Amino acid sequence: MAKAPETVSVNDQRFLAGQAAFEEITGLRSSEFLDGLKDLAPAIGRFVMEWEFADVYGQSSLDLRTRELIMVAGCVALGATAAPILKLRIGSALRAGVSRQEIIDTIIQIGIAAGVPAALAAIQSAGEVFAVLDA
């Protein structure tokens, strides 16, 4: 009996589309992100690729700059617990054409709702991202 050709499932298509979007948006290799989760929670890496990057990013009416500013704002509101993801999103926002000043102004604006400590922690994170880029 002949072996059926391998097909790519819908979920695999979503995963691959998410990986491509992740790499385009963040400038990072998706395999590095996924490898960081493989021993603890590999499923969340797949969820991030499929849901966040393939579904949400792939079907939004918002332009990439706006989406990245929203992600920066959301991470700022979460405070210091979101610092590693905030740094990733600041880099993604810069790649999407958001200026450094727009990032700082977004952080300050969110500080009104999230509080000064959250804003100060986010400004420190932004400074760290900017310093790496300037090095």
Side-chain angles (χ1 to χ4, degrees):
M1 190 156 120
K3 184 177 177 183
E6 289 190 31
T7 58
V8 178
S9 72
V10 172
N11 280 346
D12 287 339
Q13 290 172 359
R14 287 175 59 225
F15 181 71
L16 294 172
Q19 283 184 294
F22 177 91
E23 291 177 0
E24 180 182 338
I25 292 164
T26 67
L28 303 172
R29 290 186 6 218
S30 60
S31 60
E32 291 177 12
F33 175 81
L34 294 167
D35 286 348
L37 297 168
K38 72 178 179 183
D39 292 333
L40 292 173
I44 197 166
R46 187 168 188 101
F47 297 153
V48 167
M49 294 302 153
E50 291 175 355
W51 183 66
E52 179 179 355
F53 286 95
D55 295 347
V56 176
Y57 268 66
Q59 299 176 26
S60 179
S61 64
L62 301 173
D63 63 57
L64 185 57
R65 284 183 88 259
T66 302
R67 287 180 280 172
E68 287 304 318
L69 277 174
I70 290 168
M71 293 304 293
V72 167
C75 289
V76 171
L78 291 171
T81 60
I85 303 304
L86 173 60
K87 290 177 185 178
L88 174 76
R89 290 311 193 160
I90 288 170
S92 297
L94 292 168
R95 286 178 54 83
V98 177
S99 72
R100 291 179 182 199
Q101 190 59 53
E102 288 172 314
I103 290 168
I104 295 300
D105 289 345
T106 298
I107 292 169
I108 292 168
Q109 191 70 37
I110 295 301
I112 294 168
V116 173
L120 290 173
I123 287 172
Q124 182 178 5
S125 291
E128 291 170 11
V129 172
F130 299 161
V132 168
L133 294 174
D134 291 342

